[in-house]
């Protein structure tokens, strides 16, 4: 469960001890606050087959907008549910929207405890390998 939040925090300006934040968060115009959200239940899934982002998130809902989180909620997940982030340098994916475009933030948690946060557009065609056991929230 994620707590209610005001939506103002963005990943590009996060105040977490992160090792790396992809500069594309700013370059692609995603450094924009989101809306306030009530407490929100979330689930963590692990990939079962090779897939791109559209197929990964499409396996959970016909309408991807039903799966988006605000960047503030993604930050909260990193803060409060760090143990659910995939370990061993594999990615945990989060779908968000900025300026009517879908993006996927993906977080890598290294064994040393530090985090790397990357971003790609939702329509990125790369197929992730299910053998990497990537997770999605």
């Amino acid at each position: 469960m994620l707590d209610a939040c005001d939506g103002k925090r963005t990943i590009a300006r996060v105040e977490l001890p992160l090792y790396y934040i992809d500069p594309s968060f700013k370059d692609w115009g995603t450094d924009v606050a989101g809306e306030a959200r009530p407490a929100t239940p979330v689930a963590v899934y692990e990939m079962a087959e090779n897939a791109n982002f559209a197929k990964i998130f499409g396996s959970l809902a016909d309408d991807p907008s039903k799966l988006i989180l605000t960047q503030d909620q993604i930050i909260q997940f990193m803060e409060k549910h760090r143990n659910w982030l995939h370990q061993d340098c594999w990615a945990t994916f989060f779908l968000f929207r900025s300026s009517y475009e879908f993006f996927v933030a993906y977080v890598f948690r290294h064994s040393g405890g530090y985090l790397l946060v990357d971003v790609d557009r939702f329509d990125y065609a790369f197929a992730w390998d299910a053998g990497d056991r990537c997770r999605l929230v």
Side-chain angles (χ1 to χ4, degrees):
M1 182 65 88
L2 297 175
D3 298 330
C5 63
D6 63 13
K8 293 182 180 179
R9 295 188 296 174
T10 65
I11 293 171
R13 292 179 275 147
V14 68
E15 294 180 16
L16 286 175
L18 300 176
Y19 181 76
Y20 174 80
I21 298 176
D22 188 334
S24 296
F25 278 102
K26 288 186 179 181
D27 297 343
W28 290 343
T30 68
D31 189 20
V32 178
E35 69 275 358
R37 290 279 179 91
T40 304
V42 294
V44 178
Y45 298 90
E46 198 161 284
M47 285 180 56
E49 61 183 61
N50 298 352
N52 62 17
F53 292 138
K55 187 173 180 182
I56 292 169
F57 287 99
S59 71
L60 299 176
D62 292 336
D63 179 1
S65 67
K66 294 179 181 179
L67 302 172
I68 62 172
L69 296 173
T70 65
Q71 291 182 61
D72 200 348
Q73 289 175 307
I74 296 168
I75 293 165
Q76 185 185 137
F77 190 96
M78 290 189 288
E79 292 171 333
K80 296 188 174 197
H81 303 292
R82 185 173 224 146
N83 59 320
W84 282 99
L85 295 171
H86 201 300
Q87 296 182 50
D88 304 323
C89 303
W90 303 118
T92 302
F93 302 126
F94 300 87
L95 183 62
F96 72 99
R97 182 171 43 211
S98 182
S99 302
Y100 305 105
E101 186 175 355
F102 290 108
F103 294 90
V104 177
Y106 42 108
V107 179
F108 298 91
R109 184 176 86 167
H110 286 265
S111 58
Y114 60 91
L115 304 177
L116 287 90
V117 186
D118 280 317
V119 64
D120 268 307
R121 289 186 162 88
F122 181 72
D123 60 4
Y124 181 46
F126 178 80
W128 293 84
D129 187 341
D132 294 341
R133 303 179 327 272
C134 294
R135 292 183 177 169
L136 59 144
V137 179

mmCIF file with all atom_site columns, all heavy atoms in Angstrom, residues 102-115:
data_model
loop_
_atom_site.group_PDB
_atom_site.id
_atom_site.type_symbol
_atom_site.label_atom_id
_atom_site.label_alt_id
_atom_site.label_comp_id
_atom_site.label_asym_id
_atom_site.label_entity_id
_atom_site.label_seq_id
_atom_site.pdbx_PDB_ins_code
_atom_site.Cartn_x
_atom_site.Cartn_y
_atom_site.Cartn_z
_atom_site.occupancy
_atom_site.B_iso_or_equiv
_atom_site.pdbx_formal_charge
_atom_site.auth_seq_id
_atom_site.auth_comp_id
_atom_site.auth_asym_id
_atom_site.auth_atom_id
_atom_site.pdbx_PDB_model_num
ATOM 1   N N   . PHE A 1 102 ? 3.259  8.262  -22.056 1.00 0.00 ? 102 PHE A N   1
ATOM 2   C CA  . PHE A 1 102 ? 3.616  7.239  -21.087 1.00 0.00 ? 102 PHE A CA  1
ATOM 3   C C   . PHE A 1 102 ? 5.117  6.996  -21.095 1.00 0.00 ? 102 PHE A C   1
ATOM 4   O O   . PHE A 1 102 ? 5.752  6.973  -22.153 1.00 0.00 ? 102 PHE A O   1
ATOM 5   C CB  . PHE A 1 102 ? 2.910  5.911  -21.413 1.00 0.00 ? 102 PHE A CB  1
ATOM 6   C CG  . PHE A 1 102 ? 1.432  5.938  -21.167 1.00 0.00 ? 102 PHE A CG  1
ATOM 7   C CD1 . PHE A 1 102 ? 0.554  5.950  -22.225 1.00 0.00 ? 102 PHE A CD1 1
ATOM 8   C CD2 . PHE A 1 102 ? 0.922  5.938  -19.878 1.00 0.00 ? 102 PHE A CD2 1
ATOM 9   C CE1 . PHE A 1 102 ? -0.809 5.969  -22.026 1.00 0.00 ? 102 PHE A CE1 1
ATOM 10  C CE2 . PHE A 1 102 ? -0.449 5.955  -19.660 1.00 0.00 ? 102 PHE A CE2 1
ATOM 11  C CZ  . PHE A 1 102 ? -1.314 5.972  -20.730 1.00 0.00 ? 102 PHE A CZ  1
ATOM 12  N N   . PHE A 1 103 ? 5.656  6.795  -19.900 1.00 0.00 ? 103 PHE A N   1
ATOM 13  C CA  . PHE A 1 103 ? 7.061  6.479  -19.698 1.00 0.00 ? 103 PHE A CA  1
ATOM 14  C C   . PHE A 1 103 ? 7.167  5.329  -18.713 1.00 0.00 ? 103 PHE A C   1
ATOM 15  O O   . PHE A 1 103 ? 6.241  5.068  -17.952 1.00 0.00 ? 103 PHE A O   1
ATOM 16  C CB  . PHE A 1 103 ? 7.824  7.687  -19.129 1.00 0.00 ? 103 PHE A CB  1
ATOM 17  C CG  . PHE A 1 103 ? 7.905  8.857  -20.055 1.00 0.00 ? 103 PHE A CG  1
ATOM 18  C CD1 . PHE A 1 103 ? 6.929  9.840  -20.043 1.00 0.00 ? 103 PHE A CD1 1
ATOM 19  C CD2 . PHE A 1 103 ? 8.969  8.981  -20.942 1.00 0.00 ? 103 PHE A CD2 1
ATOM 20  C CE1 . PHE A 1 103 ? 6.996  10.931 -20.905 1.00 0.00 ? 103 PHE A CE1 1
ATOM 21  C CE2 . PHE A 1 103 ? 9.038  10.065 -21.806 1.00 0.00 ? 103 PHE A CE2 1
ATOM 22  C CZ  . PHE A 1 103 ? 8.054  11.042 -21.787 1.00 0.00 ? 103 PHE A CZ  1
ATOM 23  N N   . VAL A 1 104 ? 8.309  4.682  -18.720 1.00 0.00 ? 104 VAL A N   1
ATOM 24  C CA  . VAL A 1 104 ? 8.584  3.643  -17.738 1.00 0.00 ? 104 VAL A CA  1
ATOM 25  C C   . VAL A 1 104 ? 9.880  3.998  -17.028 1.00 0.00 ? 104 VAL A C   1
ATOM 26  O O   . VAL A 1 104 ? 10.929 4.158  -17.662 1.00 0.00 ? 104 VAL A O   1
ATOM 27  C CB  . VAL A 1 104 ? 8.703  2.247  -18.386 1.00 0.00 ? 104 VAL A CB  1
ATOM 28  C CG1 . VAL A 1 104 ? 9.053  1.196  -17.336 1.00 0.00 ? 104 VAL A CG1 1
ATOM 29  C CG2 . VAL A 1 104 ? 7.404  1.878  -19.096 1.00 0.00 ? 104 VAL A CG2 1
ATOM 30  N N   . ALA A 1 105 ? 9.762  4.164  -15.714 1.00 0.00 ? 105 ALA A N   1
ATOM 31  C CA  . ALA A 1 105 ? 10.950 4.330  -14.880 1.00 0.00 ? 105 ALA A CA  1
ATOM 32  C C   . ALA A 1 105 ? 11.357 2.933  -14.438 1.00 0.00 ? 105 ALA A C   1
ATOM 33  O O   . ALA A 1 105 ? 10.504 2.108  -14.117 1.00 0.00 ? 105 ALA A O   1
ATOM 34  C CB  . ALA A 1 105 ? 10.640 5.187  -13.656 1.00 0.00 ? 105 ALA A CB  1
ATOM 35  N N   . TYR A 1 106 ? 12.647 2.658  -14.490 1.00 0.00 ? 106 TYR A N   1
ATOM 36  C CA  . TYR A 1 106 ? 13.080 1.370  -13.979 1.00 0.00 ? 106 TYR A CA  1
ATOM 37  C C   . TYR A 1 106 ? 14.232 1.562  -13.022 1.00 0.00 ? 106 TYR A C   1
ATOM 38  O O   . TYR A 1 106 ? 15.146 2.337  -13.242 1.00 0.00 ? 106 TYR A O   1
ATOM 39  C CB  . TYR A 1 106 ? 13.355 0.333  -15.059 1.00 0.00 ? 106 TYR A CB  1
ATOM 40  C CG  . TYR A 1 106 ? 14.095 0.746  -16.302 1.00 0.00 ? 106 TYR A CG  1
ATOM 41  C CD1 . TYR A 1 106 ? 15.399 0.340  -16.512 1.00 0.00 ? 106 TYR A CD1 1
ATOM 42  C CD2 . TYR A 1 106 ? 13.463 1.491  -17.287 1.00 0.00 ? 106 TYR A CD2 1
ATOM 43  C CE1 . TYR A 1 106 ? 16.064 0.668  -17.677 1.00 0.00 ? 106 TYR A CE1 1
ATOM 44  C CE2 . TYR A 1 106 ? 14.124 1.819  -18.454 1.00 0.00 ? 106 TYR A CE2 1
ATOM 45  C CZ  . TYR A 1 106 ? 15.424 1.419  -18.650 1.00 0.00 ? 106 TYR A CZ  1
ATOM 46  O OH  . TYR A 1 106 ? 16.083 1.750  -19.793 1.00 0.00 ? 106 TYR A OH  1
ATOM 47  N N   . VAL A 1 107 ? 14.114 0.844  -11.910 1.00 0.00 ? 107 VAL A N   1
ATOM 48  C CA  . VAL A 1 107 ? 15.029 1.000  -10.793 1.00 0.00 ? 107 VAL A CA  1
ATOM 49  C C   . VAL A 1 107 ? 15.860 -0.268 -10.657 1.00 0.00 ? 107 VAL A C   1
ATOM 50  O O   . VAL A 1 107 ? 15.329 -1.376 -10.684 1.00 0.00 ? 107 VAL A O   1
ATOM 51  C CB  . VAL A 1 107 ? 14.244 1.267  -9.490  1.00 0.00 ? 107 VAL A CB  1
ATOM 52  C CG1 . VAL A 1 107 ? 15.195 1.411  -8.306  1.00 0.00 ? 107 VAL A CG1 1
ATOM 53  C CG2 . VAL A 1 107 ? 13.360 2.497  -9.631  1.00 0.00 ? 107 VAL A CG2 1
ATOM 54  N N   . PHE A 1 108 ? 17.156 -0.071 -10.511 1.00 0.00 ? 108 PHE A N   1
ATOM 55  C CA  . PHE A 1 108 ? 18.083 -1.174 -10.263 1.00 0.00 ? 108 PHE A CA  1
ATOM 56  C C   . PHE A 1 108 ? 18.613 -1.013 -8.840  1.00 0.00 ? 108 PHE A C   1
ATOM 57  O O   . PHE A 1 108 ? 19.110 0.056  -8.484  1.00 0.00 ? 108 PHE A O   1
ATOM 58  C CB  . PHE A 1 108 ? 19.262 -1.129 -11.238 1.00 0.00 ? 108 PHE A CB  1
ATOM 59  C CG  . PHE A 1 108 ? 18.874 -1.285 -12.675 1.00 0.00 ? 108 PHE A CG  1
ATOM 60  C CD1 . PHE A 1 108 ? 18.591 -0.173 -13.459 1.00 0.00 ? 108 PHE A CD1 1
ATOM 61  C CD2 . PHE A 1 108 ? 18.788 -2.539 -13.251 1.00 0.00 ? 108 PHE A CD2 1
ATOM 62  C CE1 . PHE A 1 108 ? 18.242 -0.313 -14.798 1.00 0.00 ? 108 PHE A CE1 1
ATOM 63  C CE2 . PHE A 1 108 ? 18.430 -2.694 -14.584 1.00 0.00 ? 108 PHE A CE2 1
ATOM 64  C CZ  . PHE A 1 108 ? 18.160 -1.574 -15.356 1.00 0.00 ? 108 PHE A CZ  1
ATOM 65  N N   . ARG A 1 109 ? 18.486 -2.052 -8.044  1.00 0.00 ? 109 ARG A N   1
ATOM 66  C CA  . ARG A 1 109 ? 19.024 -2.033 -6.676  1.00 0.00 ? 109 ARG A CA  1
ATOM 67  C C   . ARG A 1 109 ? 20.253 -2.934 -6.633  1.00 0.00 ? 109 ARG A C   1
ATOM 68  O O   . ARG A 1 109 ? 20.160 -4.140 -6.832  1.00 0.00 ? 109 ARG A O   1
ATOM 69  C CB  . ARG A 1 109 ? 17.991 -2.522 -5.665  1.00 0.00 ? 109 ARG A CB  1
ATOM 70  C CG  . ARG A 1 109 ? 18.490 -2.419 -4.230  1.00 0.00 ? 109 ARG A CG  1
ATOM 71  C CD  . ARG A 1 109 ? 17.430 -2.816 -3.257  1.00 0.00 ? 109 ARG A CD  1
ATOM 72  N NE  . ARG A 1 109 ? 17.472 -4.265 -3.071  1.00 0.00 ? 109 ARG A NE  1
ATOM 73  C CZ  . ARG A 1 109 ? 16.832 -4.890 -2.104  1.00 0.00 ? 109 ARG A CZ  1
ATOM 74  N NH1 . ARG A 1 109 ? 16.063 -4.236 -1.277  1.00 0.00 ? 109 ARG A NH1 1
ATOM 75  N NH2 . ARG A 1 109 ? 16.917 -6.187 -1.992  1.00 0.00 ? 109 ARG A NH2 1
ATOM 76  N N   . HIS A 1 110 ? 21.383 -2.322 -6.399  1.00 0.00 ? 110 HIS A N   1
ATOM 77  C CA  . HIS A 1 110 ? 22.633 -3.073 -6.345  1.00 0.00 ? 110 HIS A CA  1
ATOM 78  C C   . HIS A 1 110 ? 22.869 -3.635 -4.954  1.00 0.00 ? 110 HIS A C   1
ATOM 79  O O   . HIS A 1 110 ? 22.314 -3.151 -3.971  1.00 0.00 ? 110 HIS A O   1
ATOM 80  C CB  . HIS A 1 110 ? 23.799 -2.184 -6.778  1.00 0.00 ? 110 HIS A CB  1
ATOM 81  C CG  . HIS A 1 110 ? 23.815 -1.948 -8.251  1.00 0.00 ? 110 HIS A CG  1
ATOM 82  N ND1 . HIS A 1 110 ? 24.567 -2.698 -9.102  1.00 0.00 ? 110 HIS A ND1 1
ATOM 83  C CD2 . HIS A 1 110 ? 23.139 -1.065 -9.028  1.00 0.00 ? 110 HIS A CD2 1
ATOM 84  C CE1 . HIS A 1 110 ? 24.381 -2.291 -10.341 1.00 0.00 ? 110 HIS A CE1 1
ATOM 85  N NE2 . HIS A 1 110 ? 23.515 -1.297 -10.321 1.00 0.00 ? 110 HIS A NE2 1
ATOM 86  N N   . SER A 1 111 ? 23.699 -4.657 -4.900  1.00 0.00 ? 111 SER A N   1
ATOM 87  C CA  . SER A 1 111 ? 23.966 -5.333 -3.627  1.00 0.00 ? 111 SER A CA  1
ATOM 88  C C   . SER A 1 111 ? 24.535 -4.378 -2.586  1.00 0.00 ? 111 SER A C   1
ATOM 89  O O   . SER A 1 111 ? 24.353 -4.600 -1.390  1.00 0.00 ? 111 SER A O   1
ATOM 90  C CB  . SER A 1 111 ? 24.901 -6.517 -3.835  1.00 0.00 ? 111 SER A CB  1
ATOM 91  O OG  . SER A 1 111 ? 26.107 -6.091 -4.425  1.00 0.00 ? 111 SER A OG  1
ATOM 92  N N   . GLY A 1 112 ? 25.193 -3.314 -3.003  1.00 0.00 ? 112 GLY A N   1
ATOM 93  C CA  . GLY A 1 112 ? 25.710 -2.322 -2.068  1.00 0.00 ? 112 GLY A CA  1
ATOM 94  C C   . GLY A 1 112 ? 24.630 -1.416 -1.503  1.00 0.00 ? 112 GLY A C   1
ATOM 95  O O   . GLY A 1 112 ? 24.900 -0.561 -0.663  1.00 0.00 ? 112 GLY A O   1
ATOM 96  N N   . GLY A 1 113 ? 23.379 -1.575 -1.969  1.00 0.00 ? 113 GLY A N   1
ATOM 97  C CA  . GLY A 1 113 ? 22.264 -0.804 -1.442  1.00 0.00 ? 113 GLY A CA  1
ATOM 98  C C   . GLY A 1 113 ? 21.919 0.432  -2.246  1.00 0.00 ? 113 GLY A C   1
ATOM 99  O O   . GLY A 1 113 ? 20.870 1.030  -2.036  1.00 0.00 ? 113 GLY A O   1
ATOM 100 N N   . TYR A 1 114 ? 22.782 0.836  -3.153  1.00 0.00 ? 114 TYR A N   1
ATOM 101 C CA  . TYR A 1 114 ? 22.479 2.047  -3.911  1.00 0.00 ? 114 TYR A CA  1
ATOM 102 C C   . TYR A 1 114 ? 21.553 1.727  -5.081  1.00 0.00 ? 114 TYR A C   1
ATOM 103 O O   . TYR A 1 114 ? 21.455 0.589  -5.526  1.00 0.00 ? 114 TYR A O   1
ATOM 104 C CB  . TYR A 1 114 ? 23.751 2.755  -4.376  1.00 0.00 ? 114 TYR A CB  1
ATOM 105 C CG  . TYR A 1 114 ? 24.656 1.953  -5.270  1.00 0.00 ? 114 TYR A CG  1
ATOM 106 C CD1 . TYR A 1 114 ? 24.504 2.011  -6.648  1.00 0.00 ? 114 TYR A CD1 1
ATOM 107 C CD2 . TYR A 1 114 ? 25.680 1.178  -4.747  1.00 0.00 ? 114 TYR A CD2 1
ATOM 108 C CE1 . TYR A 1 114 ? 25.334 1.287  -7.487  1.00 0.00 ? 114 TYR A CE1 1
ATOM 109 C CE2 . TYR A 1 114 ? 26.524 0.457  -5.582  1.00 0.00 ? 114 TYR A CE2 1
ATOM 110 C CZ  . TYR A 1 114 ? 26.344 0.513  -6.943  1.00 0.00 ? 114 TYR A CZ  1
ATOM 111 O OH  . TYR A 1 114 ? 27.170 -0.202 -7.769  1.00 0.00 ? 114 TYR A OH  1
ATOM 112 N N   . LEU A 1 115 ? 20.853 2.765  -5.548  1.00 0.00 ? 115 LEU A N   1
ATOM 113 C CA  . LEU A 1 115 ? 19.862 2.623  -6.607  1.00 0.00 ? 115 LEU A CA  1
ATOM 114 C C   . LEU A 1 115 ? 20.282 3.391  -7.853  1.00 0.00 ? 115 LEU A C   1
ATOM 115 O O   . LEU A 1 115 ? 20.872 4.466  -7.759  1.00 0.00 ? 115 LEU A O   1
ATOM 116 C CB  . LEU A 1 115 ? 18.502 3.157  -6.152  1.00 0.00 ? 115 LEU A CB  1
ATOM 117 C CG  . LEU A 1 115 ? 17.903 2.558  -4.892  1.00 0.00 ? 115 LEU A CG  1
ATOM 118 C CD1 . LEU A 1 115 ? 16.592 3.253  -4.553  1.00 0.00 ? 115 LEU A CD1 1
ATOM 119 C CD2 . LEU A 1 115 ? 17.695 1.075  -5.036  1.00 0.00 ? 115 LEU A CD2 1
#
